[in-house]
């Protein structure tokens, strides 16, 4: 019941947020939150560390942008095409990567994602280093005008809530219980008769499809797609979001995405505010040190908050309740 209340409060805050905060910035956070939740489904509940999720996120963004810009198809078709592209790329990558375990699995996903990066760099429809520009928002179902930021915000929020609900349903289903068993003790899961490779592949494809949905939605929101989203640094960023928020928790990736995106976009403003309050001029240069600050936060979380922010809070509440 407490969890349902928490989810309800979170949804209420999300519904009210665009009336006080710039909607496009909020939509960017929501897209990355969905991306981080999709990644967490794979690493947090299946135990597979992929370092190639940028391929699904950025690849789907390019496909969605191409469908909307070059083919002129409806918005919903573009989003579905991007999601399908993410799933297809995940199927190909997963079929190759799950044959190995541990660091070998991780490095295979990284290598395949970098191959896609160079494909996107060379393909004419991606725009190369200039990116795919001028992606139209269009009309959803032919009558919902997405040109209005507030309207688009609630559409993006609905997409994210649907994706989040699918992840929760998956985690709490018998399929999700098998995934947790694979993470805890894969040999025992095999001994119980489960086709572990098939379960891993299904989890990989589902995570890739949801990442593709997040990438497609982000392209629709911002109106462009660039190589940044398919570069390996994007894979590192989603790992950072998940670890900071709380690996293997439901809400953790959302919190991690919120913290990292706010730092990336508002660190300069935060630094200027700190400089004005403390009269220490050094803080005014924080906006140029985003990578250093996020790296510092990552180190602090690894050393002091091994479970991530949400994981540590949950553990603290459990200890308090047990007393």
């Amino acid at each position: 019941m407490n969890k349902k209340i928490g989810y309800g409060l979170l949804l209420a805050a999300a519904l009210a947020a665009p009336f006080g905060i710039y909607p496009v910035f909020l939509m960017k956070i929501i897209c990355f939150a969905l991306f981080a939740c999709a990644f967490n489904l794979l690493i947090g509940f299946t135990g597979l560390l992929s370092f190639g999720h940028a391929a699904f996120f950025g690849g789907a963004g390019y496909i969605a942008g191409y469908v909307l810009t070059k083919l002129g198809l409806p918005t919903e078709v573009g989003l579905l095409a991007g999601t399908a592209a993410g799933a297809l790329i995940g199927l190909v990558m997963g079929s190759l990567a799950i044959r190995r375990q541990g660091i070998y699995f991780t490095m295979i996903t990284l290598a395949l994602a970098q191959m896609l990066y160079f494909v996107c760099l060379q393909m004419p429809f991606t725009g190369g280093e200039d990116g795919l520009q001028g992606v139209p928002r269009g009309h959803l179902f032919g009558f919902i005008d997405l040109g209005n930021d507030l309207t688009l915000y609630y559409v993006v929020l609905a997409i994210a809530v649907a994706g989040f609900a699918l992840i929760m349903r998956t985690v709490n289903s018998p399929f999700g219980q098998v995934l947790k068993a694979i993470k805890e003790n894969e040999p025992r899961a095999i001994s119980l008769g489960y086709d572990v490779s098939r379960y891993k592949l299904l989890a990989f494809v589902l995570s890739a499809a949801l990442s593709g949905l997040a990438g497609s939605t982000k392209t629709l929101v911002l109106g462009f797609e660039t190589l940044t989203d398919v570069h390996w640094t994007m894979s590192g960023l989603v790992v950072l979001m998940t670890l900071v928020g709380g690996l293997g928790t439901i809400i953790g990736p959302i919190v991690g995405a919120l913290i990292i995106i706010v730092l990336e976009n508002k660190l300069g403003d935060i630094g200027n505010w700190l400089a004005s309050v403390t009269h220490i001029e050094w803080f005014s240069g924080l906006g140029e040190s985003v990578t250093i600050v996020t790296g510092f936060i990552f180190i602090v979380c690894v050393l002091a908050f091994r479970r991530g922010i949400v994981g540590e809070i949950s553990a603290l509440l459990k200890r308090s309740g047990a007393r």
Side-chain angles (χ1 to χ4, degrees):
M1 181 63 69
N2 290 334
K3 288 185 178 180
K4 291 182 179 180
I5 294 174
Y7 295 148
L9 291 175
L10 183 63
L11 180 59
L15 290 171
F19 296 101
I21 305 174
Y22 186 42
V24 173
F25 177 62
L26 290 173
M27 285 186 278
K28 184 177 179 181
I29 293 175
I30 291 172
C31 291
F32 275 102
L34 178 58
F35 183 30
C37 287
F39 175 76
N40 186 50
L41 176 64
L42 190 65
I43 186 175
F45 296 100
T46 315
L48 297 176
L49 174 57
S50 166
F51 213 70
H53 261 55
F56 319 133
F57 186 72
Y62 273 118
I63 295 300
Y66 176 78
V67 169
L68 295 174
T69 306
K70 307 298 182 181
L71 302 183
L73 295 177
T75 302
E76 59 272 17
V77 175
L79 294 176
L80 289 173
T83 305
L88 181 59
I89 297 170
L91 178 62
V92 174
M93 286 180 58
S95 299
L96 297 172
I98 62 170
R99 301 180 184 184
R100 295 292 182 266
Q101 295 180 345
I103 189 64
Y104 302 104
F105 171 88
T106 303
M107 296 311 295
I108 288 173
T109 58
L110 173 61
L112 293 173
Q114 282 301 98
M115 289 175 61
L116 182 66
Y117 169 81
F118 287 109
V119 169
C120 292
L121 179 62
Q122 298 296 329
M123 291 294 287
F125 80 89
T126 64
E129 294 183 352
D130 295 328
L132 183 62
Q133 307 289 335
V135 178
R137 291 181 176 181
H139 291 73
L140 188 66
F141 305 125
F143 65 92
I144 301 177
D145 184 11
L146 300 180
N148 181 277
D149 286 344
L150 192 59
T151 302
L152 180 60
Y153 172 81
Y154 287 112
V155 171
V156 170
L157 180 62
I159 291 172
V161 169
F164 183 71
L166 177 60
I167 291 172
M168 284 190 61
R169 181 69 185 91
T170 301
V171 168
N172 295 314
S173 68
F175 173 74
Q177 298 306 310
V178 176
L179 295 183
K180 293 177 184 177
I182 293 172
K183 177 187 176 183
E184 294 298 327
N185 195 323
E186 185 174 333
R188 181 173 294 177
I190 294 173
S191 69
L192 292 173
Y194 292 109
D195 188 347
V196 169
S197 295
R198 185 168 66 90
Y199 277 94
K200 284 183 177 180
L201 182 58
L202 286 173
F204 197 93
V205 172
L206 179 58
S207 178
L210 289 169
S211 298
L213 177 60
S216 303
T217 306
K218 176 177 173 288
T219 300
L220 180 69
V221 169
L222 300 182
F224 61 85
E225 181 61 47
T226 64
L227 291 171
T228 302
D229 287 347
V230 287
H231 196 257
W232 67 268
T233 52
M234 182 59 69
S235 296
L237 188 67
V238 75
V239 172
L240 178 61
M241 291 175 181
T242 307
L243 291 179
V244 168
L247 187 68
T249 62
I250 297 295
I251 298 294
I254 298 176
V255 174
L258 174 64
I259 292 172
I260 299 302
I261 297 302
V262 168
L263 284 176
E264 281 195 341
N265 291 269
K266 301 297 182 181
L267 187 59
D269 296 335
I270 295 172
N272 291 331
W273 177 79
L274 288 173
S276 65
V277 172
T278 62
H279 302 291
I280 300 175
E281 287 301 319
W282 179 83
F283 284 119
S284 61
L286 276 180
E288 302 173 2
S289 308
V290 174
T291 305
I292 296 174
V293 174
T294 53
F296 175 74
I297 291 174
F298 176 69
I299 292 172
V300 170
C301 285
V302 169
L303 295 178
F305 304 101
R306 299 295 296 272
R307 301 182 184 91
I309 295 173
V310 174
E312 291 293 341
I313 293 174
S314 298
L316 180 62
L317 292 175
K318 286 181 181 178
R319 287 196 297 267
S320 300
R323 292 176 182 176

PDB file of all heavy atoms in Angstrom, residues 71-92:
ATOM      1  N   LEU A  71      10.011  10.053 -44.723  1.00  0.00           N
ATOM      2  CA  LEU A  71       8.843   9.321 -45.237  1.00  0.00           C
ATOM      3  C   LEU A  71       7.540  10.059 -44.985  1.00  0.00           C
ATOM      4  O   LEU A  71       6.529   9.766 -45.626  1.00  0.00           O
ATOM      5  CB  LEU A  71       8.790   7.927 -44.610  1.00  0.00           C
ATOM      6  CG  LEU A  71      10.018   7.029 -44.829  1.00  0.00           C
ATOM      7  CD1 LEU A  71       9.796   5.651 -44.211  1.00  0.00           C
ATOM      8  CD2 LEU A  71      10.346   6.895 -46.322  1.00  0.00           C
ATOM      9  N   GLY A  72       7.537  10.983 -44.025  1.00  0.00           N
ATOM     10  CA  GLY A  72       6.343  11.768 -43.746  1.00  0.00           C
ATOM     11  C   GLY A  72       5.195  10.984 -43.158  1.00  0.00           C
ATOM     12  O   GLY A  72       4.031  11.367 -43.319  1.00  0.00           O
ATOM     13  N   LEU A  73       5.496   9.893 -42.458  1.00  0.00           N
ATOM     14  CA  LEU A  73       4.449   9.065 -41.860  1.00  0.00           C
ATOM     15  C   LEU A  73       3.970   9.665 -40.538  1.00  0.00           C
ATOM     16  O   LEU A  73       4.637  10.514 -39.957  1.00  0.00           O
ATOM     17  CB  LEU A  73       4.967   7.647 -41.659  1.00  0.00           C
ATOM     18  CG  LEU A  73       5.300   6.879 -42.956  1.00  0.00           C
ATOM     19  CD1 LEU A  73       5.884   5.518 -42.638  1.00  0.00           C
ATOM     20  CD2 LEU A  73       4.054   6.731 -43.836  1.00  0.00           C
ATOM     21  N   PRO A  74       2.805   9.225 -40.044  1.00  0.00           N
ATOM     22  CA  PRO A  74       2.258   9.785 -38.791  1.00  0.00           C
ATOM     23  C   PRO A  74       3.190   9.575 -37.603  1.00  0.00           C
ATOM     24  O   PRO A  74       4.036   8.674 -37.602  1.00  0.00           O
ATOM     25  CB  PRO A  74       0.942   9.008 -38.616  1.00  0.00           C
ATOM     26  CG  PRO A  74       0.568   8.563 -39.989  1.00  0.00           C
ATOM     27  CD  PRO A  74       1.855   8.291 -40.691  1.00  0.00           C
ATOM     28  N   THR A  75       2.993  10.382 -36.583  1.00  0.00           N
ATOM     29  CA  THR A  75       3.854  10.355 -35.399  1.00  0.00           C
ATOM     30  C   THR A  75       3.861   8.999 -34.725  1.00  0.00           C
ATOM     31  O   THR A  75       4.919   8.483 -34.345  1.00  0.00           O
ATOM     32  CB  THR A  75       3.391  11.428 -34.395  1.00  0.00           C
ATOM     33  OG1 THR A  75       3.432  12.708 -35.017  1.00  0.00           O
ATOM     34  CG2 THR A  75       4.278  11.432 -33.164  1.00  0.00           C
ATOM     35  N   GLU A  76       2.681   8.407 -34.552  1.00  0.00           N
ATOM     36  CA  GLU A  76       2.620   7.118 -33.865  1.00  0.00           C
ATOM     37  C   GLU A  76       3.373   6.032 -34.634  1.00  0.00           C
ATOM     38  O   GLU A  76       3.969   5.130 -34.039  1.00  0.00           O
ATOM     39  CB  GLU A  76       1.173   6.686 -33.609  1.00  0.00           C
ATOM     40  CG  GLU A  76       0.295   6.548 -34.849  1.00  0.00           C
ATOM     41  CD  GLU A  76      -0.380   7.846 -35.247  1.00  0.00           C
ATOM     42  OE1 GLU A  76       0.060   8.914 -34.777  1.00  0.00           O
ATOM     43  OE2 GLU A  76      -1.342   7.783 -36.025  1.00  0.00           O
ATOM     44  N   VAL A  77       3.365   6.127 -35.968  1.00  0.00           N
ATOM     45  CA  VAL A  77       4.103   5.155 -36.789  1.00  0.00           C
ATOM     46  C   VAL A  77       5.609   5.328 -36.571  1.00  0.00           C
ATOM     47  O   VAL A  77       6.354   4.349 -36.481  1.00  0.00           O
ATOM     48  CB  VAL A  77       3.748   5.313 -38.285  1.00  0.00           C
ATOM     49  CG1 VAL A  77       4.603   4.376 -39.142  1.00  0.00           C
ATOM     50  CG2 VAL A  77       2.270   5.039 -38.514  1.00  0.00           C
ATOM     51  N   GLY A  78       6.052   6.591 -36.476  1.00  0.00           N
ATOM     52  CA  GLY A  78       7.463   6.853 -36.230  1.00  0.00           C
ATOM     53  C   GLY A  78       7.928   6.284 -34.902  1.00  0.00           C
ATOM     54  O   GLY A  78       8.999   5.680 -34.806  1.00  0.00           O
ATOM     55  N   LEU A  79       7.108   6.476 -33.853  1.00  0.00           N
ATOM     56  CA  LEU A  79       7.463   5.948 -32.537  1.00  0.00           C
ATOM     57  C   LEU A  79       7.485   4.419 -32.535  1.00  0.00           C
ATOM     58  O   LEU A  79       8.392   3.799 -31.953  1.00  0.00           O
ATOM     59  CB  LEU A  79       6.480   6.457 -31.483  1.00  0.00           C
ATOM     60  CG  LEU A  79       6.500   7.963 -31.198  1.00  0.00           C
ATOM     61  CD1 LEU A  79       5.401   8.327 -30.212  1.00  0.00           C
ATOM     62  CD2 LEU A  79       7.859   8.392 -30.661  1.00  0.00           C
ATOM     63  N   LEU A  80       6.509   3.822 -33.190  1.00  0.00           N
ATOM     64  CA  LEU A  80       6.466   2.362 -33.262  1.00  0.00           C
ATOM     65  C   LEU A  80       7.639   1.820 -34.082  1.00  0.00           C
ATOM     66  O   LEU A  80       8.227   0.788 -33.731  1.00  0.00           O
ATOM     67  CB  LEU A  80       5.145   1.903 -33.875  1.00  0.00           C
ATOM     68  CG  LEU A  80       3.899   2.080 -33.004  1.00  0.00           C
ATOM     69  CD1 LEU A  80       2.634   1.740 -33.788  1.00  0.00           C
ATOM     70  CD2 LEU A  80       3.993   1.216 -31.748  1.00  0.00           C
ATOM     71  N   ALA A  81       7.987   2.520 -35.164  1.00  0.00           N
ATOM     72  CA  ALA A  81       9.114   2.093 -35.991  1.00  0.00           C
ATOM     73  C   ALA A  81      10.416   2.164 -35.197  1.00  0.00           C
ATOM     74  O   ALA A  81      11.260   1.261 -35.281  1.00  0.00           O
ATOM     75  CB  ALA A  81       9.205   2.962 -37.239  1.00  0.00           C
ATOM     76  N   GLY A  82      10.593   3.233 -34.418  1.00  0.00           N
ATOM     77  CA  GLY A  82      11.786   3.355 -33.595  1.00  0.00           C
ATOM     78  C   GLY A  82      11.862   2.264 -32.539  1.00  0.00           C
ATOM     79  O   GLY A  82      12.924   1.675 -32.311  1.00  0.00           O
ATOM     80  N   THR A  83      10.723   1.976 -31.901  1.00  0.00           N
ATOM     81  CA  THR A  83      10.690   0.919 -30.887  1.00  0.00           C
ATOM     82  C   THR A  83      11.006  -0.442 -31.511  1.00  0.00           C
ATOM     83  O   THR A  83      11.768  -1.238 -30.945  1.00  0.00           O
ATOM     84  CB  THR A  83       9.309   0.872 -30.218  1.00  0.00           C
ATOM     85  OG1 THR A  83       8.995   2.167 -29.693  1.00  0.00           O
ATOM     86  CG2 THR A  83       9.277  -0.154 -29.111  1.00  0.00           C
ATOM     87  N   ALA A  84      10.428  -0.698 -32.689  1.00  0.00           N
ATOM     88  CA  ALA A  84      10.701  -1.952 -33.384  1.00  0.00           C
ATOM     89  C   ALA A  84      12.164  -2.061 -33.794  1.00  0.00           C
ATOM     90  O   ALA A  84      12.772  -3.136 -33.730  1.00  0.00           O
ATOM     91  CB  ALA A  84       9.798  -2.071 -34.617  1.00  0.00           C
ATOM     92  N   ALA A  85      12.742  -0.926 -34.214  1.00  0.00           N
ATOM     93  CA  ALA A  85      14.159  -0.915 -34.580  1.00  0.00           C
ATOM     94  C   ALA A  85      15.029  -1.245 -33.377  1.00  0.00           C
ATOM     95  O   ALA A  85      15.995  -2.011 -33.477  1.00  0.00           O
ATOM     96  CB  ALA A  85      14.540   0.449 -35.152  1.00  0.00           C
ATOM     97  N   GLY A  86      14.687  -0.665 -32.211  1.00  0.00           N
ATOM     98  CA  GLY A  86      15.431  -0.983 -30.994  1.00  0.00           C
ATOM     99  C   GLY A  86      15.345  -2.459 -30.659  1.00  0.00           C
ATOM    100  O   GLY A  86      16.358  -3.079 -30.293  1.00  0.00           O
ATOM    101  N   ALA A  87      14.147  -3.035 -30.796  1.00  0.00           N
ATOM    102  CA  ALA A  87      13.969  -4.462 -30.515  1.00  0.00           C
ATOM    103  C   ALA A  87      14.760  -5.323 -31.492  1.00  0.00           C
ATOM    104  O   ALA A  87      15.375  -6.321 -31.106  1.00  0.00           O
ATOM    105  CB  ALA A  87      12.482  -4.816 -30.580  1.00  0.00           C
ATOM    106  N   LEU A  88      14.762  -4.930 -32.777  1.00  0.00           N
ATOM    107  CA  LEU A  88      15.476  -5.702 -33.790  1.00  0.00           C
ATOM    108  C   LEU A  88      16.986  -5.654 -33.564  1.00  0.00           C
ATOM    109  O   LEU A  88      17.679  -6.679 -33.644  1.00  0.00           O
ATOM    110  CB  LEU A  88      15.143  -5.163 -35.189  1.00  0.00           C
ATOM    111  CG  LEU A  88      15.805  -5.881 -36.376  1.00  0.00           C
ATOM    112  CD1 LEU A  88      15.403  -7.348 -36.378  1.00  0.00           C
ATOM    113  CD2 LEU A  88      15.418  -5.218 -37.690  1.00  0.00           C
ATOM    114  N   ILE A  89      17.497  -4.455 -33.274  1.00  0.00           N
ATOM    115  CA  ILE A  89      18.930  -4.330 -32.974  1.00  0.00           C
ATOM    116  C   ILE A  89      19.267  -5.146 -31.724  1.00  0.00           C
ATOM    117  O   ILE A  89      20.307  -5.822 -31.660  1.00  0.00           O
ATOM    118  CB  ILE A  89      19.310  -2.850 -32.763  1.00  0.00           C
ATOM    119  CG1 ILE A  89      19.084  -2.052 -34.047  1.00  0.00           C
ATOM    120  CG2 ILE A  89      20.784  -2.726 -32.339  1.00  0.00           C
ATOM    121  CD1 ILE A  89      19.209  -0.550 -33.857  1.00  0.00           C
ATOM    122  N   GLY A  90      18.370  -5.119 -30.742  1.00  0.00           N
ATOM    123  CA  GLY A  90      18.581  -5.902 -29.530  1.00  0.00           C
ATOM    124  C   GLY A  90      18.581  -7.395 -29.803  1.00  0.00           C
ATOM    125  O   GLY A  90      19.359  -8.140 -29.189  1.00  0.00           O
ATOM    126  N   LEU A  91      17.717  -7.835 -30.718  1.00  0.00           N
ATOM    127  CA  LEU A  91      17.667  -9.255 -31.062  1.00  0.00           C
ATOM    128  C   LEU A  91      18.974  -9.710 -31.699  1.00  0.00           C
ATOM    129  O   LEU A  91      19.515 -10.767 -31.350  1.00  0.00           O
ATOM    130  CB  LEU A  91      16.497  -9.510 -32.016  1.00  0.00           C
ATOM    131  CG  LEU A  91      16.323 -10.949 -32.512  1.00  0.00           C
ATOM    132  CD1 LEU A  91      16.056 -11.890 -31.348  1.00  0.00           C
ATOM    133  CD2 LEU A  91      15.192 -11.035 -33.539  1.00  0.00           C
ATOM    134  N   VAL A  92      19.499  -8.895 -32.612  1.00  0.00           N
ATOM    135  CA  VAL A  92      20.757  -9.243 -33.280  1.00  0.00           C
ATOM    136  C   VAL A  92      21.920  -9.225 -32.293  1.00  0.00           C
ATOM    137  O   VAL A  92      22.711 -10.187 -32.205  1.00  0.00           O
ATOM    138  CB  VAL A  92      21.032  -8.268 -34.444  1.00  0.00           C
ATOM    139  CG1 VAL A  92      22.412  -8.531 -35.048  1.00  0.00           C
ATOM    140  CG2 VAL A  92      19.951  -8.399 -35.513  1.00  0.00           C
TER     141      VAL A  92
END
